[in-house]
Amino acid sequence: MTVTQAVLAAISIGVFIVVFAVAARRLLDLRVGVIRMLLTGLVAIGGLAMFAGAMQQPGQQGALTGVQVGCTLLLAMGFMAVSEVLLPSGAALPMVLLRTLRSRVARTRRYAHISSIVLRHGLRPYLLGRDGGRTGSREGKRHLARPLRLALEEAGPTFVKLGQMLSTRHDLLPPEYVSELSRLQYQVPAEPEAHILEQLRRELGGPVEEIFAEFDSTPLAAASIAQVHLARLHSGRKVAVKVQRPGIRTSVERDLDIICRMARMLEQRARWARALGVVALADGFAVSIQEEMDFRVEARNLATVRAAWERRAPDETIALPAVHDALSSERVLVLEWLPGLPISAGGEFGGENAERRDALARALLTNQLLQILVDGIFHADPHPGNILLLEDGRIGLIDFGSVGRLDSSLRASLTRFLLAVHNADPAAMCDALLEVLARPEEINEQELERALGRFMARHFAPGAALDMQVFAALFRLVSQHGFAVPPEVAAVFRALATLEGTLGKLSPGFDLMAEAQTFAVGQGFERLSSGSGTGSGMSFQGEVLSALAVLRRLPRRLDRVTSALEEGRLGFHVRLFADSRDRRYIRNLVHEILLTCLAATSGIMAVILLHAPGGPLVTPSTRLFEILGYHLLVFSAVLSMRMLFVIFRGRQ
């Protein structure tokens, strides 16, 4: 073979590789890397040689060349589809394989550990929905709640956090579970000093002694995800350094993956899981924990809360720490040091008297309600460990890893709901609930209003004790009518329920509900209805002006509608598929149906032609019907593989 012939042969092979690889990729509608394309082309070249040797018989004179090319394309598509399923695109194949195997082994070990915990505490029948109705009675719920709490504690910090989140969902769980899960605790030992110093060196880009003038290696607090150390900058200012535990991200992400998989399994097998919507719960919990793992999110949350707090003339009783952005990263957060004790420490707090404690509790509650109803962003986890009583007598708020957000329409709906509660107006409460909650497809509003009337008469009668359990009872009532509580609304009442316990520690006997009603009438709603230049007042004025404009146009439009109705000209114009997403969905659906029909028709015609007798001879040994049948059969196989891959990928 001459050099020219060798070059031409190499070029031909290269062209075949590119053609088959590109054709397979286009037919499967995949975006793959260069390495996978090259491997697909090499497999196709090998297949072409194999099919040529198997199909080229003497006397055929190339009649089945199209069949050979089709089979080669089918082989290339099969290789690309299988490789994509086993090793998804996006990274180098050996690294993906190694990482996948390692994660599968680790997840299998964790599954085995969790399964042993479930079996040891006797929870397996309940998780599989085979409890025999034993959890329906109060005694059955109480009997199950304790082993569930113990199992969550034994499973580790991620599962403890899940239980703590569930303990605030009075709208979902019976009181027996809420009471037991509220006792969840998890004691975490401090991370070794060397690990923390190495983590700081990696994140800050230098030794700790160069970044800080002083650094106390003994942590002030140690939690499951991070721990906090006291340090001093070279400028002389004290700071709190929050450091994420090394390696915690991998274990948390593995546990979150297991929780989401278990939720999907439970929703398929257990009726109670479908009723609670455990998949949505697990997904929301996973998103929340992943945000807590990124300290940059906490820094942004704190900056947003602080900006809103400063914009509304902040109460000097409340203090928020400043973030040192230059020293903060994904795994390290450096905050201004607020000297004081957390509310959870108990004691006398520097000798504060009862009157001063009441004033501080009232200021803390007012700040929380302003964050919820005015700012639209609020501290979602105000437990006693996150609220400090400072040495100068102020209240300090820390740990903004979990915040809630409400848009303006939802804040207005919550405002109307609280007004209805204060006025004991069941009709207004029913209207507000229909705006606040996720409305079911079928709802008897009259029956709901009557149920709310009975609820108001029972819980808001003169002399009745008011606490956050009233809202828990309200959530159970609306859930019986098919309502679902949106996560952001649940976060509001979860934060208020947590705050109630904090206020009780700060000022024993503090009445949150009574103080909240005083705030609603005396501060919050007057601010919303005033036009004194505040953002909320201006918004209210704008809504009133918009409503007046609509009222001016209403008589003219009503006259047009009634005239058209009287003359028989009233009609409705509806554009089908006005949304581009609807058009794209219909187009893809029709395309897939046509390809499926074409594949089935080609296959049937191929079978008929291959079994048809007679027909003209194209070569001495091959008839025309056979050639057409083989080509149609390969064509049908290519289309069928494409459709099967599309269906399989759609279910992933």
Side-chain angles (χ1 to χ4, degrees), residues 381-652:
D381 193 20
H383 66 74
N386 288 338
I387 310 297
L388 305 179
L389 186 59
L390 305 182
E391 293 176 356
D392 58 7
R394 295 183 298 165
I395 291 289
L397 306 182
I398 59 173
D399 194 356
F400 285 81
S402 177
V403 299
R405 290 179 172 84
L406 302 173
D407 58 39
S408 58
S409 62
L410 191 53
R411 297 201 302 272
S413 300
L414 281 172
T415 300
R416 288 190 286 272
F417 170 75
L418 293 177
L419 271 176
V421 171
H422 174 74
N423 296 327
D425 186 348
M429 184 183 289
C430 180
D431 293 339
L433 282 175
L434 292 175
E435 297 177 1
V436 171
L437 304 180
R439 182 170 181 155
E441 294 182 0
E442 297 182 4
I443 177 67
N444 188 332
E445 294 187 24
Q446 187 176 12
E447 178 60 30
L448 175 61
E449 186 175 330
R450 290 175 180 172
L452 290 172
R454 293 191 294 269
F455 171 83
M456 299 287 288
R458 183 182 305 112
H459 294 283
F460 290 86
L466 294 178
D467 55 20
M468 287 302 298
Q469 296 301 319
V470 172
F471 287 106
L474 176 62
F475 280 149
R476 287 194 291 271
L477 184 151
V478 297
S479 65
Q480 292 171 359
H481 286 76
F483 284 91
V485 181
E488 55 270 23
V489 177
V492 171
F493 292 100
R494 181 168 67 246
L496 292 177
T498 305
L499 185 64
E500 184 183 33
T502 302
L503 295 175
K505 285 184 175 293
L506 176 60
S507 176
F510 186 83
D511 191 342
L512 181 145
M513 290 297 296
E515 294 293 338
Q517 290 191 36
T518 302
F519 166 85
V521 176
Q523 297 183 41
F525 301 129
E526 287 183 2
R527 182 173 301 184
L528 288 172
S529 60
S530 69
S532 57
T534 63
S536 300
M538 297 302 290
S539 175
F540 181 79
Q541 286 185 340
E543 291 180 5
V544 171
L545 292 176
S546 299
L548 289 176
V550 172
L551 288 175
R552 283 197 302 269
R553 294 192 298 267
L554 188 59
R556 184 170 66 255
R557 292 187 174 181
L558 283 176
D559 180 63
R560 290 178 181 176
V561 171
T562 53
S563 298
L565 182 62
E566 182 181 7
E567 298 173 5
R569 295 184 291 102
L570 185 64
F572 298 93
H573 298 280
V574 179
R575 282 189 60 192
L576 295 177
F577 310 122
D579 194 329
S580 61
R581 292 172 296 180
D582 294 335
R583 294 195 299 272
R584 185 166 56 251
Y585 171 76
I586 294 297
R587 183 168 57 248
N588 292 338
L589 182 62
V590 171
H591 181 242
E592 292 175 6
I593 291 174
L594 287 176
L595 286 181
T596 303
C597 293
L598 188 58
T601 304
S602 301
I604 294 172
M605 292 178 61
V607 173
I608 293 174
L609 288 172
L610 289 174
H611 286 81
L617 288 171
V618 177
T619 67
S621 60
T622 309
R623 297 184 178 275
L624 177 62
F625 291 166
E626 292 178 345
I627 295 175
L628 294 177
Y630 284 126
H631 281 81
L632 285 175
L633 191 61
V634 172
F635 180 72
S636 174
V638 170
L639 292 183
S640 299
M641 176 166 287
R642 170 186 163 79
M643 296 311 303
L644 288 173
F645 181 75
V646 169
I647 294 171
F648 181 80
R649 188 174 56 173
R651 292 182 178 179
Q652 291 292 82

Side-chain angles (χ1 to χ4, degrees), residues 105-270:
V105 170
R107 190 170 63 212
T108 301
R109 290 178 180 173
R110 186 64 172 147
Y111 264 129
H113 182 218
I114 294 173
S115 299
S116 66
I117 295 173
V118 169
L119 291 173
R120 186 159 54 250
H121 291 279
L123 298 175
R124 187 173 183 273
Y126 301 96
L127 295 181
L128 296 179
R130 301 171 185 169
D131 58 334
R134 285 173 287 179
T135 56
S137 64
R138 177 171 296 181
E139 186 62 31
K141 294 172 183 175
R142 191 179 296 112
H143 177 74
L144 175 61
R146 186 172 184 275
L148 176 61
R149 174 180 66 83
L150 295 176
L152 290 173
E153 285 183 349
E154 189 176 348
T158 308
F159 288 86
V160 169
K161 282 184 171 290
L162 175 62
Q164 291 171 342
M165 183 271 290
L166 292 175
S167 70
T168 63
R169 295 303 301 265
H170 300 272
D171 57 310
L172 295 178
L173 298 181
E176 294 80 7
Y177 293 96
V178 171
S179 175
E180 188 66 33
L181 293 178
S182 299
R183 301 170 56 189
L184 277 170
Q185 295 180 353
Y186 192 77
Q187 301 298 327
V188 185
E191 194 76 18
E193 178 183 351
H195 295 174
I196 291 297
L197 295 179
E198 177 62 22
Q199 179 84 314
L200 286 170
R201 187 194 64 78
R202 285 197 302 265
E203 293 297 317
L204 300 181
V208 173
E209 54 271 16
E210 293 182 5
I211 306 299
F212 302 104
E214 296 178 14
F215 183 84
D216 188 354
S217 58
T218 302
L220 296 170
S224 57
I225 292 178
Q227 56 190 51
V228 180
H229 295 258
L230 180 62
R232 187 187 300 273
L233 300 177
H234 290 288
S235 63
R237 299 182 62 182
K238 284 187 176 181
V239 292
V241 183
K242 184 176 180 180
V243 188
Q244 189 174 116
R245 291 176 178 269
I248 190 65
R249 182 181 295 271
T250 302
S251 61
V252 169
E253 289 179 349
R254 182 175 63 243
D255 283 351
L256 290 177
D257 179 62
I258 290 174
I259 288 172
C260 292
R261 289 172 181 267
M262 290 178 65
R264 288 192 290 270
M265 181 269 292
L266 286 174
E267 196 157 284
Q268 292 174 355
R269 298 185 179 183

